[in-house]
Amino acid sequence: MQDLHLCATEKRGSKQLGGEHVGWDEVTQGIILTSFDGDATDIVHQKAEQRHYSDFNSYVASVASWRVEKPVFNIDVCIDCQNCWVWCPDTSIISRDKQMLGIDYDHCKGCGVCVEVCPTNPKSLLMFSEQSGLDEALAAWPEKKKKEEK
Amino acid sequence: MAEKFDLNDREVWDGNYAASQALRQAQVDVVAAYPITPSTPIVENYGAYVANGYIDGEYVMVESEHAAMSGCVGASAAGGRVATATSSQGFALMVEVLYQASGMRLPIVLNVVNRALASPLNVRGDHADMYLGRDSGWIQIDAFNAQEAYDLALCAFKIGEDHSVRLPVMVHQDGFITSHTAQNVYPLTDEAAYNFIGDFQPVDDLLDFSRPVTYGAQTEEDWHFEHKAKQHKALMDSRPVIDEVFAEFEKLTGRKYNRVESYMMEDADVVIVGLGTTVETAVVAAEELREEGIKAGVVGIRVFRPFPFDQVREALKGAKSIAVMDRSSPGGAMGAFFNEVSAALYTTDTRPLVTNYIYGLGGRDFSIDEAKRIFKEQQANADAGHITTDIQQFSGLRGPHLGYFQTQRG
């Protein structure tokens, strides 16, 4: 579900700066960083996984270490309403052709907004501890909540 | 193409009008401006040129000087030729963004009409705002009259936009004394002026969608030092470029500019070192004193940043006693200009006597008589062979004498 080659790279920034021992005379004038390698004319029409990001693009940087709790996605409950995709402040919801596919855990900071805005019953996104596995989380998924009697 | 503007060979312009004409002839793409006395007419005139079709550019009205310089930074990063103007409090409000512009290496031209900083509130000229920008990484060029405000604004584009420099440039002129005094100005034709500056050649422009770039990224301790070193080198290396541009301008107009201007310095014993209109006043005083047999000379600093350390040493090496004139409140120290000139002189073998005069704050007139009195004090120092007065004095101040650091020696 997560295998979209969207993972962050560990050696970001190393290529353009020329490795560890670059001197002051080799840095780019004016702190200007390129976002993509090569021509980027039609980049907007390409999907993220098809783009040639430069080592300086924020896309290749991981912020996963910020997270304490992670959202887990249950595809069986999801109605593909795209609410979470709209609300995610870090564009970490992976959606292709209006179909929810999962979460980009390299860029998700665990804020829980997606869970808050999920309208299904039970919610198709729930927060679990960072350490818990996918199967473990899905096994603990709650049942549909009945409406309270009036 | 823009409408043709009718110019005579000789025009009567004040410094503001001269600066605005330079911006028109440079065909600036974007001016983001907020008005402030005394620089308002520069952008006001520019707005009229845009409205009347003399410029194919954009005039952006913003809500503060901070926003004006921010708009300029954005427009310059996008790939346009950008200029604006400000003074005093507006300059102070811009300061935060001035560092952004120079750090991102954006060749913005800023016309600064120098004015005192409040409080007390004052719209008249002194150099407090020029000093405020001295560490901001901008090239700072100082015009002594309206003709120079025009000439140097044209040069500023060519210097800043040079691909080896790529730094923002300030062109200073004295508030009201230069900016609101009409003088004869000999302008270039529009074609000659534009050809001199040349088309703007952007580097890494944000509007190049085939190569998206990020401007002003975060660096922290692992790269900040290296970037600042490179920026400082660019500023230092702009010195020969400035000289080349001045030489090219001389070829075009016959008007010669130097990073340090020397007047009657061949055999001068006593010297006034100053900035702005003060230089012209001191020159007149020196000429009059020469008739009395006092070997007076004047040095004007044309390029305040990068500071012409070596040229200051060279210009002043034969002098016996020197008055360094600071038109800004010293704020609990010797005047900043005094410190820099003395630093240059300390490394010479002759090491002349140097005193610091604080004068003309908030537009207080600096007269020929006052300049003469200062020259005569310097002559007394030169005759005695040591400083006979306070090292720092407030000149032209009402009330009892105010000075510090007396060095009375036998």
Side-chain angles (χ1 to χ4, degrees), chain A residues 22 24 27 29 33-34 40, chain B residues 166 210-211 214 223 230 233:
Chain A
V22 73
W24 63 269
V27 296
Q29 271 192 36
L33 306 177
T34 55
Chain B
R166 279 175 60 198
S210 66
R211 192 173 173 275
T214 299
W223 290 112
K230 190 155 192 177
K233 183 169 192 297

Side-chain angles (χ1 to χ4, degrees), chain A residues 17 22-36 38-41, chain B residues 103-105 166 204 209-217 219 223 226-227 230 233:
Chain A
L17 290 177
V22 73
W24 63 269
D25 52 330
E26 293 167 87
V27 296
T28 327
Q29 271 192 36
I31 330 160
I32 293 153
L33 306 177
T34 55
S35 305
F36 303 100
D39 187 65
T41 313
Chain B
M104 294 185 209
R105 307 285 295 273
R166 279 175 60 198
D204 293 322
F209 294 122
S210 66
R211 192 173 173 275
V213 291
T214 299
Y215 262 87
T219 59
W223 290 112
E226 279 71 23
H227 279 288
K230 190 155 192 177
K233 183 169 192 297

Side-chain angles (χ1 to χ4, degrees), chain B residues 265-280:
Chain B
M265 284 303 295
E266 296 76 22
D267 60 340
D269 290 336
V270 288
V271 184
I272 283 181
V273 184
L275 288 159
T277 48
T278 306
V279 175
E280 294 196 331

Side-chain angles (χ1 to χ4, degrees), chain B residues 20-180:
Chain B
S20 67
Q21 283 285 347
L23 300 194
R24 182 187 64 77
Q25 292 188 326
Q27 287 291 315
V28 175
D29 296 313
V30 176
V31 167
Y34 194 81
I36 182 162
T37 303
S39 72
T40 303
I42 295 178
V43 289
E44 199 174 63
N45 295 335
Y46 188 85
Y49 303 147
V50 173
N52 295 332
Y54 295 119
I55 295 164
D56 295 329
E58 292 285 333
Y59 186 78
V60 187
M61 282 170 279
V62 288
E63 76 279 8
S64 75
E65 286 86 353
H66 189 280
M69 188 43 66
S70 302
C72 287
V73 165
S76 185
R81 176 172 283 161
V82 179
T84 187
T86 194
S87 297
S88 185
Q89 308 301 124
F91 184 94
L93 192 53
M94 274 185 186
V95 164
E96 182 194 343
V97 196
L98 297 180
Y99 283 76
Q100 306 274 357
S102 60
M104 294 185 209
R105 307 285 295 273
L106 301 172
I108 300 164
V109 171
L110 174 61
N111 291 276
V112 184
V113 181
N114 292 126
R115 166 187 150 184
L117 283 164
S119 71
L121 187 63
N122 181 314
V123 298
R124 299 279 165 172
D126 72 24
H127 294 152
D129 47 5
M130 187 198 296
Y131 285 22
L132 185 61
R134 72 184 194 271
D135 291 344
S136 64
W138 286 53
I139 294 171
Q140 290 180 282
I141 305 177
D142 195 14
F144 306 162
N145 57 44
Q147 177 74 60
E148 295 178 1
Y150 168 80
D151 292 351
L152 296 172
L154 293 178
C155 292
F157 286 103
K158 198 170 171 67
I159 294 165
E161 291 171 10
D162 189 289
H163 277 193
S164 70
V165 177
R166 279 175 60 198
L167 282 169
V169 186
M170 287 176 208
V171 183
H172 295 275
Q173 54 177 297
D174 277 357
F176 291 102
I177 308 174
T178 301
S179 69
H180 284 65

Side-chain angles (χ1 to χ4, degrees), chain B residues 324-391:
Chain B
V324 182
M325 310 293 291
D326 271 283
R327 197 167 197 161
S328 173
S329 177
M334 302 300 283
F337 190 42
F338 169 87
N339 287 341
E340 294 186 350
V341 174
S342 338
L345 292 169
Y346 191 80
T347 51
T348 59
D349 298 333
T350 48
R351 218 178 282 174
L353 305 170
V354 197
T355 45
N356 184 203
Y357 288 83
I358 309 299
Y359 76 105
L361 303 189
R364 175 66 53 86
D365 194 23
F366 179 68
S367 63
I368 295 167
D369 274 352
E370 193 177 345
K372 278 184 176 174
R373 191 182 58 72
I374 290 166
F375 272 127
K376 283 176 181 164
E377 275 185 15
Q378 297 310 307
Q379 187 63 54
N381 288 353
D383 292 343
H386 61 85
I387 295 170
T388 58
T389 57
D390 296 342
I391 297 177

Side-chain angles (χ1 to χ4, degrees), chain A residues 24-128:
Chain A
W24 63 269
D25 52 330
E26 293 167 87
V27 296
T28 327
Q29 271 192 36
I31 330 160
I32 293 153
L33 306 177
T34 55
S35 305
F36 303 100
D37 287 336
D39 187 65
T41 313
D42 284 323
I43 207 92
V44 74
H45 300 298
Q46 289 175 6
K47 293 209 163 70
E49 56 271 29
Q50 295 165 334
R51 296 174 184 168
H52 296 289
Y53 289 105
S54 84
D55 291 342
F56 278 118
N57 196 298
S58 62
Y59 201 81
V60 300
S62 172
V63 289
S65 61
W66 296 24
R67 210 165 48 229
V68 178
E69 282 190 313
K70 65 180 176 185
V72 175
F73 169 57
N74 188 337
I75 200 164
D76 298 330
V77 195
C78 179
I79 58 171
D80 291 325
C81 70
Q82 311 291 311
N83 231 16
C84 53
W85 182 84
V86 168
W87 281 89
C88 175
D90 293 305
T91 55
S92 293
I93 304 291
I94 302 167
S95 172
R96 291 285 176 266
D97 304 319
K98 295 182 183 171
Q99 273 223 309
M100 269 289 291
L101 293 178
I103 290 141
D104 174 2
Y105 283 124
D106 279 340
H107 299 103
C108 169
K109 300 191 188 83
C111 68
V113 167
C114 52
V115 173
E116 282 299 315
V117 298
C118 183
T120 60
N121 185 0
K123 287 181 183 293
S124 39
L125 284 155
L126 283 174
M127 300 304 282
F128 286 87

